[in-house]
Amino acid sequence: MRSMLPFQRLPERNGLWGVILPRLGEEREPGPLGEAGQIARIDPAGVQFVRIQRMGWRGAGWVLGAGGGLMAALMFAPLLWSFLHAGHRLGPVVAASMCAILLLPLLAGALTAYRARTLELPPPVVLSRRLRRFYQWRGNREGWVSVAADTGTAVIQAAAVVTQAGGDMGYRLHVVEFDAGSRAIRKQVAISEVVSDPDELAWLWDFLCRYLDEAPERLPAVRNAGFEGEGAWLARADRYLFSGLVDGEHRLVPGRFNAFRFYFAAVLEYWYLRCGAWIEGKASTPAYPPDLADAMRWGGANPYAREAASPAQQAASRGDLDHFRRRWRIVAVLSTLLYGGIFVGMIAIGWLVLV
């Protein structure tokens, strides 16, 4: 997924578009170092960032491709049958052509599902401490794109985000490199996922700058992100997709409207997330360039502290936290009824109209 800034030249001043952050080595405002999120792994060799939203279309592509293609084929089955038995009146060429046209949605859906399942997944964005560069995979056309941490400029991009749960402001952290003597953007790397709080990204950038030049004991513990177990994909969804609606103990934030927003969005996305997690466990990812692969290896003890997962967070990752499991079971049932109803209803409409 391409994560490009919506402009080719970086503005000189902050504005509604976003905020320019202090560069590495520049003086920062005094104050405590905030909590660093968006980090999946950290050690003396480098940092690996979370990537859950960057692969979100894969699950949707599989569900809509496979389910939508099959639904279209079954909807048009009566018409397809009619053309197959009308070949002697219409002529075999006309009948075959009409049958091929009716089968196009099935073929298009199958191709979409196949590509969603088999295409390589984008690897996580990484920061190599040894090479002092950010790296992002930008597809087969561009390959690996890197920006030097020492000369790059960090920006928080602000944009209106419209989702199934409503509209809101979203923010993403980028690091850009300019053409010589201008503010034209030559290269850029999108470090973070989209978040709702720009302060989280400012804290993340401050943490990364200090990580490159300061001792591990001077840095605070990184927010826990070790999701492993049967419910890990749903625990990650709570943390990174519904963070404004679900607290750190995987409980809905109080308020009827918040509950409505969660269930409305989660019901629409449940099967996309489930299939995306299935694809993530099976699809391959591009290999690191040789120099980056060597630089990211670390075999010793890890001196960087991580927040310990709470008992509730550990239980959610295993899939045996009662309120977490109950909430997502409700979502699973409602989502299955929604998409199953659409599937059966559209086929029934097709048969009622065409038979």
Side-chain angles (χ1 to χ4, degrees), residues 205-263:
W205 177 245
D206 197 13
F207 179 93
L208 296 176
C209 290
R210 299 189 187 189
Y211 162 78
L212 287 170
D213 293 320
E214 297 185 12
E217 57 270 15
R218 298 192 60 184
L219 298 177
V222 175
R223 185 188 304 167
N224 177 71
F227 300 107
E228 297 180 2
E230 183 181 349
W233 62 281
L234 290 176
R236 289 198 302 268
D238 271 2
R239 169 63 64 87
Y240 298 117
L241 296 182
F242 303 110
S243 59
L245 305 175
V246 180
D247 64 20
E249 299 300 299
H250 296 281
R251 293 186 180 276
L252 286 176
V253 175
R256 291 183 180 179
F257 185 64
N258 285 339
F260 170 79
R261 291 181 65 194
F262 169 80
Y263 280 106

Side-chain angles (χ1 to χ4, degrees), residues 41-47 129-130 211 216 292-304:
R41 182 176 65 82
I42 181 171
D43 58 39
V47 171
R129 191 167 189 255
R130 294 168 176 168
Y211 162 78
L292 179 59
D294 291 339
M296 292 296 289
R297 289 195 183 95
W298 179 259
N302 190 352
Y304 291 93

Side-chain angles (χ1 to χ4, degrees), residues 85-129:
H85 286 76
H88 64 282
R89 289 186 289 109
L90 299 176
V93 175
V94 173
S97 300
M98 295 306 298
C99 290
I101 292 173
L102 292 174
L103 288 174
L104 281 178
L106 175 63
L107 296 176
L111 178 61
T112 301
Y114 174 79
R115 287 178 60 81
R117 165 63 183 84
T118 58
L119 284 178
E120 290 182 319
L121 287 176
V125 176
V126 296
L127 166 62
S128 169
R129 191 167 189 255

Side-chain angles (χ1 to χ4, degrees), residues 196-354:
S196 58
D197 184 2
D199 288 340
E200 179 181 345
L201 302 181
W203 293 336
L204 174 60
W205 177 245
D206 197 13
F207 179 93
L208 296 176
C209 290
R210 299 189 187 189
Y211 162 78
L212 287 170
D213 293 320
E214 297 185 12
E217 57 270 15
R218 298 192 60 184
L219 298 177
V222 175
R223 185 188 304 167
N224 177 71
F227 300 107
E228 297 180 2
E230 183 181 349
W233 62 281
L234 290 176
R236 289 198 302 268
D238 271 2
R239 169 63 64 87
Y240 298 117
L241 296 182
F242 303 110
S243 59
L245 305 175
V246 180
D247 64 20
E249 299 300 299
H250 296 281
R251 293 186 180 276
L252 286 176
V253 175
R256 291 183 180 179
F257 185 64
N258 285 339
F260 170 79
R261 291 181 65 194
F262 169 80
Y263 280 106
F264 186 76
V267 165
L268 291 175
E269 296 184 17
Y270 173 81
W271 280 104
Y272 302 161
L273 295 172
R274 188 180 187 94
C275 291
W278 169 68
I279 291 171
E280 186 177 15
K282 295 181 177 296
S284 60
T285 58
Y288 288 149
D291 59 337
L292 179 59
D294 291 339
M296 292 296 289
R297 289 195 183 95
W298 179 259
N302 190 352
Y304 291 93
R306 301 208 69 133
E307 287 182 359
S310 69
Q313 291 169 344
Q314 294 178 36
S317 291
R318 295 193 303 267
D320 55 11
L321 181 64
D322 288 341
H323 63 265
F324 167 84
R325 184 170 52 186
R326 182 169 55 250
R327 170 164 52 86
W328 279 105
R329 279 181 177 173
I330 294 172
V331 169
V333 170
L334 294 176
S335 185
T336 302
L337 290 174
L338 172 66
Y339 288 108
I342 292 173
F343 186 86
V344 174
M346 293 299 293
I347 294 171
I349 291 173
W351 280 63
L352 289 172
V353 171
L354 298 175

